[in-house]
Amino acid sequence: MGADAAGSGAPIERPEGRYLHGVPDADLKVVGKPWRKIDARARVTGQTRFADDLFAPRMAYCKLLRSTQAHARIVRIDASAAEAMEGVYAVLLGKDLPITFGILPVSQDEHTLCIDKVRFVGDPVAAVAAVDEDTAWEACRKIVVEYEALPLVTDVFTAAATDPEAPHEHRIHDYGRLGNFHRQENLEFGDLAQGFGESDLVREDFFFFEGNTHLPMEEHATLATFDPDGKLCVQSSTQTPHYLHRALAKVLAEHVPAHKIRVIACPNGGGFGGKSDPFSHEIAVAMLSIRTGRPVKVTLTREEVFYTHRGRHPVLMRSRIGVSRSGRIKALDFETHLDGGAYGSYGTASTFYTGALQCVTYHVENYWFRGARYFTNKAPCGPKRGHGTPQPRFALEVQMDKLAVELGLDPVRIRKDNLVPANSLTANWMRVGTMALGRCIDQVVAGSGFLDRWQKLPHGKGVGLACSSYLSGAGLPIYWNAMPHSGVQLKLDRSGLVTVFCGSTDIGQGSNSILAYVVGEVLGLDPQDLRIVTSDTDLTPVDLGSYSSRVTLMTGNAALQAAERARDLIAPHVADKLGVPRNRIGFAKGRVFDVSDPDQGMPFADAVQLAESKLGTIGTTGSYRPPKSPARYKGGGVGPSANYSFTAAVVEVDVDPETGIYTVPRIFVAHDIGRSINPCLVMGQVEGSVYMGLGEAMMEEMSYRSDRFGVHKIPSMLDYKSPTTMEMPELITWLVGDPDPNGPFGAKEAGQGPLLPIMPAVANAVFDAVGVRVDEVPITPEKVFEGIERARKGKEPRVGPTKTPHVDWPEARKVRTPWQGGTGLEVEREQEELAAARANGGASRERRGD
Amino acid sequence: MLRLPKFSYHRPASGAEAVRIVAAHGGEARYVAGGTDLYPNMKRRVQRPGHVVALSRCQDLRGMRGEARSGVTIGAMTTLSAIEHDPRLRAEYPGFVHAASVVSTPLLRNMGTIGGNLLLDTRCNYYDQSHEWRESIDFCKKCDGSTCWVAPSSPRCWAVQSSDTVPLLCAIDASVTLLGADGERRVPLRALYRDDGIDFVQKRHEELLTALHLPATNGWRASYRKLRRRGSFDFPVLGVGACLSMDGDRVAELDVRIGGAGSWPIPAQKTVEMLRGAVLRFDDAASDELIRAAAQEAYKPTRAMDNTDLDAHWRKKMAPVFVARAIRDCLPGAPPRRDVLG
Ligand SMILES: Cc1cc2nc3c(=O)[nH]c(=O)nc-3n(C[C@H](O)[C@H](O)[C@H](O)COP(=O)(O)OP(=O)(O)OC[C@H]3O[C@@H](n4cnc5c(N)ncnc54)[C@H](O)[C@@H]3O)c2cc1C
Ligand code: SF4
């Protein structure tokens, strides 16, 4: 016990104690059962208070004035007419908040309000606080902004062609690489020349994945209150209160210190990654509240949500793959070009993610990844469900399908033959632990009768198979630090109430419930009886946020540690009282008792009182940090995870060859979840992912009028097409897999991975149905029709890109693969390390992040 | 959320009173029925009436009269849902009911009226945008600006006729009653619409549409084929209404109107001429070939432009397909329509 009993100690990197992954299902009372979400009733009866539901006395309303120009210098702003309006309390301009911010330390490139230039239509330029929304809106119309147009860049080819010698204003930002390149990455694992040399077949294909947005039902809203005691409270629809706290502290440094800023994340009405950056509107209302001494609220319109964006990057890809006659992957040379939009956002991470997970599903012997991100005058892209991995996954899975056809193999065989073995390292040093992709494939193939139908259905009908993998939480935090990624505190009350404090944010996925299930399981309590307090930077220990599918795994492990510690505090005192050995004490059904004679025991509340009388106030903490990654090269910080989920899907399509219009009657999906903490919530995540993936496959796209002012073509929920219930197919879902040692109770992620196989499976099914390759997402009826027409005219029945922009890549960082005897470091640094070790007479290994 | 601008709200108890109010305020006033078209337009500041005259209390604009043998009259305030679920209309005017039932979503059909649907504003994705968005393109000819961004060198506006019922109702030759300051008149729908995105209805501003008149069902069959992205929500980006009466195996009369691809329901004149008097049978290869060839003539008059969802060239190519399908639907023996797409 000792230090542990006091509830402190180092963060764990994998679960420990009584509830290891190996605990049999039968021994679990809560975990693995379809419990109701603890906040379900409030949600479905409309009583959950979202950010826009908040009202405060004397509250002012904020509206932002946004740029009408896609790329322009601000010559003059005159807000005097707006300031003079009756009912206007304050007008904020860019110069009032000169400190920059941004989610990543490497791209602090945003101002709350633009100061000297605007970078896309929708860039915030001024903020008004007024007595009501109408007055604030009218006041915005009275602010005069004079612009001087700058050259417009709306695609990666134009961005790549920006003359590095051209005048400064041709660049959207004055940082990053030359011209309008934000990032250029070049990583080489193994010996590509040898890999391609050994290949019997080499294919080169080009793919394009159009950008799309999150489309959460709830528009972003924030209420900021600066109180007379100089404390600021910001309640917001954010997925990342901790990062928002950091951004506020940075930008408002002159006005309020970090410890006087409190951020509360409200329940999110959907996020999907779209609420994980700190945003201008959040900082603007905070400053307006400081200015006016009133609570100030802002609620974005749907159109503004489109501008706030941070959604899926449009990615143009080239993939050259070399395989043996039997389909084994010898070499993969993969190039991505990300159209980043106007700001950095998570873009650096997104760039690496387009190369990170290719090798996690199929064994790739030699791997070369090059990725470039460009600045363009469009709404900034960022993380959307699957963050940077759906695009390359689409390319790879379609390419696998093409390889299978070309080699006369079937799509099942080629995938199964290439599967990454469990407990292995990939060419790029990702550590794969448990891996049930083979079982996922078997399940959907058997369940859908794939092999009896593939290439055998009548013209117009088709089936397609695809697979994917995703990480259960990023291995590194967004800013470099050695602290835990997730912390949990428990407070045990004399009434028997256990309160769980955690910084995590429930965005509808059920993360609050997960805390209740984990603690309820360990302490033998009904999860509905616990009090869960989350996402409040004043009250709860830090959790990094709801992104990268990290929450269940990380908060679950932290909660597990805290709960085990609480158990360890209580059990000895009950044992003493009952006069039995300590190891015979059990916790179940709200009681603490002798497991050999369960009638001997006491209610949980009595046990808490007993312990409190001996120890004083009872509280514990738990914290979690992901295990160190063997990927130690620069750029290796993106991709490692405690474990990986796997998914396989079969999609059926029904194509009308006369029009190209198609429907999707059924989808079969199997997901390797490790062990479900709540299978019902996992199913919900899997099915929601399939739905979202189907939208990306069939129709969703952020389209701009590049030729006309660079405006977003359709910033509304009517015109940005996303599937309705009418498009949702019949869905058959299986959860498979074995408990993973790194997940709480063996759990893996569920929220993102199952989205990934849908787009390529649709593309593969369309090919099976009508012989047309649409190497582009979305796969619209126009494109299918074009392919059919091309076939009719004797042309290659393919629709998709044929080239990528020219890039002068920086020299490759070469890393030897594990099977080449590498160390996870760049060859160059391996030698440095060796030399240093020789000099020191011993090796010192430092983990490095990017 | 976008907010409505301020306006005065009137709730007259009869059609005649409503007409008086609008006549008194001129261009400053507008009728509102279900508001599903007007209010979004007001939020986007493309329509800015200072006076909104609600028709919800006008009992004289409600109800249905008549019978199939002599024709049915439907009050302008009848909702699309009421039409969709009316057993008699379903039995006797299935083509019309189908067209009404593919308008948007059940929620919008509960609010939206047939009168509003017939007078729905034309649409264009340079125009159906917020004030701020339109400011970014310096507005357009239909509202607050001077250029048409769809066809900058053209003198007119190409906003799109987007009502689902209009092409079909024109094809079956339905008519409406308009009540003006100086009395009522009855106008065939075929004469009500004009090929202009701005000035698309031939009626005086204060004229109130009081009723829709469906013709007697004496043997004709009608069908509506709608092209849209999704099975719900979406406006037609091509909507073909066809009406056919046969004399034995021979086409006696045919009318085909193409909606969603021009500023008015475009008559498919050539197609109709080619098929007049032709021998057509359902599920017959020769007939299908004849129909396909005639439908091909619908390609040219279809004015699909780049101002709606889906690619304009593809939409234009789809017109012959949809025209052929709509005509085939009307052949004796064709199964009743149930699908929501295509
Ligand atoms: C998301 C969305 C999707 C839609 N999808 C479709 C679709 O797929 N197909 C489709 O056809 N429509 C669609 N609509 C448009 C609209 O909902 C319907 O056309 C509806 O029938 C309009 O009727 P309303 O009563 O709501 O009209 P209102 O908005 O009340 O009126 C429309 C116009 O007609 C005038 N008006 C109304 N009644 C009269 C009258 N009796 N006499 C004179 N003038 C009158 C009004 O002044 C106004 O200009 C959609 C609308 C939305 C918001
Ligand atoms: S067609 Fe031209 S004028 Fe008419 S609404 Fe569209 S852009 Fe404006």
Side-chain angles (χ1 to χ4, degrees), chain A residues 367-403:
Chain A
Y367 178 50
W368 187 11
F369 165 67
R370 282 172 291 177
R373 186 175 190 265
Y374 304 78
F375 287 125
T376 55
N377 296 117
K378 299 191 286 193
C381 297
K384 180 186 168 188
R385 209 171 193 173
H387 193 188
T389 69
Q391 301 97 327
R393 180 54 56 187
F394 170 73
L396 187 60
E397 294 293 324
V398 172
Q399 201 167 35
M400 291 296 275
D401 209 63
K402 293 183 181 189
L403 284 171

Side-chain angles (χ1 to χ4, degrees), chain B residues 124 126-127 140-142 147-150 157-159 307:
Chain B
C124 167
Y126 284 97
Y127 167 77
C140 82
K141 197 195 288 286
K142 186 161 155 84
T147 309
C148 169
W149 296 111
V150 174
C157 160
W158 293 91
N307 60 351

Side-chain angles (χ1 to χ4, degrees), chain A residues 49 58 73 80 220 346 445 538 554 621 639 686 731 737 767:
Chain A
R49 277 157 59 89
R58 300 176 63 247
R73 208 192 323 276
S80 52
H220 307 50
Y346 283 78
V445 165
D538 266 14
M554 302 203 194
T621 66
V686 173
L731 187 53
F767 176 74

Side-chain angles (χ1 to χ4, degrees), chain A residues 718, chain B residues 30-38 40 55 76 80 102-104 108 111-113 115-117 119-120 162-164 203 207-209 226 233-236:
Chain A
L718 172 60
Chain B
R30 260 188 187 274
Y31 297 113
V32 68
T36 62
D37 179 46
L38 181 69
L55 303 175
L80 296 171
V102 294
V103 169
S104 192
L108 276 150
M111 287 304 292
T113 65
N117 192 250
L119 296 174
L120 176 66
S162 301
S163 157
D164 278 308
K203 87 168 183 65
E207 273 183 316
L208 173 71
L209 195 160
K226 175 175 184 174
F233 266 110
D234 294 336
F235 281 95

